[in-house]
Amino acid sequence: MNKIKINDLEFGKINEKNIQPILEEKFNKLINNNDINKYHSIDFENDFYGVEYKRRRCFFGQYQSLMLNKCKIDKAKEYDKRIFFIWHCNDDLYYWELSDDYKIGKGGTTRRGKNEITDVVYIENKFIKKLSLLAL
């Protein structure tokens, strides 16, 4: 594994630990699934909610949409609970509740020394809201 990928994984791991108490203010007590399997499709969950967290090094609105690996959507659809995708952008926290409001395409990165382009979904910004506005 190259240094960029190692740094990206560590960046994600640190941010997941830091965000859990903040997410628990909205979703109540959550289990971190990555403590069991670091590649789990849904980072956090409890009896009522599944929460996938993504830390992004951009500001919301910098791009027309936000992207997720399609396999995360496919796996989320298997759950019998409400699933939320949370993006922690440079300016705030944003969410999208799983629905059919997305477009399928190709995306990813090549900056880590190999081609990581894969099937992704693009969620247009109009479907994404500030987490502070979420009322459960």
Side-chain angles (χ1 to χ4, degrees):
M1 197 177 315
N2 78 21
K3 187 170 176 62
I4 296 170
K5 177 126 182 164
I6 291 168
N7 289 342
D8 285 353
L9 289 172
E10 187 61 27
F11 178 76
K13 185 176 178 181
I14 289 168
N15 280 287
E16 283 173 8
K17 293 292 182 200
N18 292 336
I19 201 66
Q20 187 168 352
I22 295 166
L23 294 176
E24 287 178 342
E25 291 174 15
K26 283 284 182 192
F27 299 102
N28 297 317
K29 182 72 178 157
L30 295 165
I31 295 167
N32 186 338
N33 289 323
N34 296 310
D35 290 341
I36 301 161
N37 174 1
K38 70 179 178 177
Y39 297 112
H40 200 284
S41 299
I42 301 296
D43 293 325
F44 304 98
E45 68 179 291
N46 60 26
D47 291 339
F48 306 102
Y49 309 108
V51 180
E52 174 64 11
Y53 169 76
K54 294 295 184 192
R55 177 64 173 97
R56 294 293 185 240
R57 296 174 176 113
C58 66
F59 291 92
F60 183 75
Q62 189 172 336
Y63 302 99
Q64 294 178 344
S65 60
L66 292 174
M67 178 179 73
L68 293 165
N69 283 356
K70 184 178 177 294
C71 64
K72 295 207 176 266
I73 299 293
D74 295 341
K75 195 67 172 174
K77 288 181 175 182
E78 295 175 9
Y79 278 74
D80 189 23
K81 56 180 86 176
R82 294 173 70 184
I83 304 293
F84 292 87
F85 294 88
I86 309 295
W87 290 273
H88 186 174
C89 296
N90 290 340
D91 55 328
D92 212 338
L93 292 164
Y94 298 88
Y95 81 93
W96 172 70
E97 185 170 0
L98 180 64
S99 71
D100 291 329
D101 294 323
Y102 59 83
K103 295 178 183 172
I104 299 171
K106 293 284 188 187
T109 185
T110 57
R111 71 179 183 80
R112 298 192 284 212
K114 68 177 189 173
N115 183 345
E116 296 181 48
I117 305 299
T118 188
D119 292 331
V120 299
V121 298
Y122 294 96
I123 297 98
E124 293 179 54
N125 293 344
K126 68 183 179 182
F127 299 118
I128 300 169
K129 309 292 182 222
K130 283 191 173 191
L131 184 61
S132 60
L133 302 175
L134 177 62
L136 297 172

